[in-house]
Amino acid sequence: MQIQKINKQLRENAIENIKNKRERKKDKKPIGAYAASWAGEDRLYDSVGYTIFMVLPTSGCQWAVDSGGCTMCSYIADSPLCDITDDDLIEIFNTQWNKQLEKTDISSHDNVAVKLFVSGSFLNTNEISSKVQDYIFNEFSKYDNIKEVIVESKPEYIDEESLKHLASLIPGKIFEIGIGLETSNEETRLNNINKGITNQSFENAINTINSIKDYDIRGKAYLLIKPILLSEKDAINEAIDSAKYAKDVGVRRIAYCPATVHGGTLMDYLWKRGSYNPPWIWSTVKILKEVRNNVDIPMIMDTAGFGTRRGPFNCKKCNAKLKSLIIKSNLEQEIPEELETFTCECKDKWEADLEFSDILNTTTNPKA
């Protein structure tokens, strides 16, 4: 379809420009510089705990290389765009892992989680070989207080044998696989996001995860709030419907990702031309309230990018306050009383956007 062709061309151009810029630099950026890690208070399944986040550079998302990837994702542009040896990847992991161990004595925390991100799918052995997967999981197995290990993968790399093997390396821990479902609306996922998965492939992956009884393996759905070419009102409704769908399929946790505009993407192309805006923070609040009240599994609303030019935005008077209340809701898994009653003068503009966006047929917001 036309949108896939445009998306692929934009991606290819962006990657070529990135490669050219990197080639022109005299001092090449070392592969390890593409890695990152940080840590802090976070919500685990059963309690508030301490989470270590790690981003490991890999050769890049295979879906993005083959098809142009998702219309909002910049992971491929943030990767080294070259092959990385197993030894290099293990060294990078050790550097980031030790960096976090030096920052804090994780034995002082009763409940620790590790969230591991790569440039595409952790379970794709073309990105992360079995040797490297095993090395990383064996490191995590040394710590009894690590309760959860979370990775991401597209459905096609999820199979019973590999899940059982990895889970056997971290006995007694929750092993969670996050899948970018984005939306339960297949037309939106195909035409607006270019995700490359179907509801059936998602359901098959969750069924595979839930069929394993020897280990505590769980599936998580990542849901995107406001893909391109979707009105604010439709984006809210799809986000709520998608949570209900994910729960019914057998997902154990939901993570919402309100859209933030990243360079080199089709979303960025439309945003620069005034044809797209990220969601209102009010929209994320509405979704949060609906899902907390009607979908009885844990849910996290990511607040990265809130209040920034390229991220979810209301107005300067309430951006920071609402962000803090949403973080509080994430930690407590409840709706803070103040969030129930909080209002701001910009809310009238948001409500007008919902009322008239279908009539105006617009995906941009009349923000201050």
Side-chain angles (χ1 to χ4, degrees), residues 158-183:
I158 296 173
D159 67 85
E160 183 176 351
E161 183 179 354
S162 62
L163 292 182
K164 283 184 174 179
H165 171 69
L166 288 171
S168 72
L169 302 178
I170 50 171
K173 305 184 190 304
I174 294 171
F175 176 28
E176 182 181 73
I177 301 91
I179 305 173
L181 173 66
E182 315 303 353
T183 175

Side-chain angles (χ1 to χ4, degrees), residues 20 42 85 88 93 133 143 154 163 244 316 344 353:
N20 288 338
D42 195 26
T85 68
D88 283 342
F93 167 79
Q133 291 177 3
Y143 300 87
K154 288 195 73 190
L163 292 182
K244 295 174 181 176
K316 292 181 179 179
C344 179
D353 190 9

Side-chain angles (χ1 to χ4, degrees), residues 126-310:
N126 290 326
E127 276 194 79
I128 304 282
S129 72
S130 297
K131 173 186 174 181
V132 178
Q133 291 177 3
D134 288 2
Y135 180 88
I136 292 171
F137 273 53
N138 280 324
E139 284 298 303
F140 296 156
S141 71
K142 298 175 182 178
Y143 300 87
D144 291 338
N145 58 331
I146 293 181
K147 306 298 184 183
E148 302 176 14
V149 176
I150 300 100
V151 302
E152 297 179 345
S153 180
K154 288 195 73 190
E156 57 263 39
Y157 307 116
I158 296 173
D159 67 85
E160 183 176 351
E161 183 179 354
S162 62
L163 292 182
K164 283 184 174 179
H165 171 69
L166 288 171
S168 72
L169 302 178
I170 50 171
K173 305 184 190 304
I174 294 171
F175 176 28
E176 182 181 73
I177 301 91
I179 305 173
L181 173 66
E182 315 303 353
T183 175
S184 58
N185 186 313
E186 293 199 279
E187 184 176 345
T188 299
R189 194 186 313 116
L190 172 65
N191 296 325
N192 302 43
I193 303 176
N194 191 42
K195 190 68 186 185
I197 71 172
T198 63
N199 281 1
Q200 189 61 61
S201 65
F202 176 77
E203 291 168 17
N204 290 343
I206 295 299
N207 288 337
T208 297
I209 291 168
N210 291 339
S211 70
I212 300 172
K213 305 303 180 184
D214 297 334
Y215 305 99
D216 193 353
I217 308 177
R218 307 184 186 187
K220 174 170 65 181
Y222 289 104
L223 300 177
L224 176 67
I225 297 178
K226 204 180 179 191
I228 60 171
L229 308 177
L230 213 62
S231 72
E232 197 81 13
K233 181 179 178 181
D234 288 343
I236 292 170
N237 291 335
E238 278 201 19
I240 294 169
D241 290 344
S242 298
K244 295 174 181 176
Y245 165 81
K247 196 268 181 181
D248 290 343
V249 167
V251 162
R252 301 285 295 276
R253 181 155 59 179
I254 294 167
Y256 276 110
C257 304
T260 298
V261 180
H262 296 281
T265 64
L266 181 53
M267 180 176 284
D268 178 61
Y269 178 87
L270 295 174
W271 176 75
K272 286 178 177 175
R273 286 155 181 79
S275 298
Y276 176 81
N277 271 340
W280 289 82
I281 296 177
W282 287 122
S283 297
T284 70
V285 171
K286 180 175 176 62
I287 293 164
L288 183 150
K289 289 180 179 178
E290 286 286 332
V291 175
R292 286 263 186 264
N293 288 326
N294 298 297
V295 183
D296 60 341
I297 57 175
M299 182 269 279
I300 297 294
M301 179 69 70
D302 186 18
T303 58
F306 271 40
T308 66
R309 182 165 165 261
R310 287 174 170 261

